[in-house]
Amino acid sequence: MLKKSLIISVSPEIMGGTPVFACTRVPVQTLLDYLKAGESIDDFLDGFPTVTKEQVIGLLEEAEKQLVGN
């Protein structure tokens, strides 16, 4: 499960419990907003250097597993 991983953190003390990338204050929703707007992962990473590419790829891989069962 992502909530207890090195990818996502959820804590009432950080951004009011909004899911954020672990060890950052960057909401996961921000990545989704970038992607929906047609921006690239690299654009997102340029804007939020505290998030690692490994975290983004890990999030997307886990989402894929949850959605398509791979």
Side-chain angles (χ1 to χ4, degrees):
M1 179 182 231
L2 286 174
K3 289 181 182 176
K4 294 182 180 181
S5 73
L6 297 175
I7 300 170
I8 301 287
S9 176
V10 177
S11 170
E13 290 121 20
I14 300 173
M15 303 290 289
T18 299
V20 297
F21 285 96
C23 300
T24 78
R25 296 180 62 81
V26 180
V28 171
Q29 184 64 50
T30 304
L31 171 63
L32 301 177
D33 292 343
Y34 263 68
L35 296 176
K36 283 191 282 186
E39 301 291 333
S40 70
I41 291 171
D42 287 333
D43 290 334
F44 172 78
L45 293 171
D46 287 344
F48 300 93
T50 58
V51 178
T52 67
K53 189 167 191 171
E54 291 77 17
Q55 286 176 305
V56 171
I57 298 303
L59 172 72
L60 296 174
E61 286 174 346
E62 187 61 33
E64 178 183 29
K65 287 179 194 173
Q66 295 292 323
L67 293 171
V68 297
N70 288 333

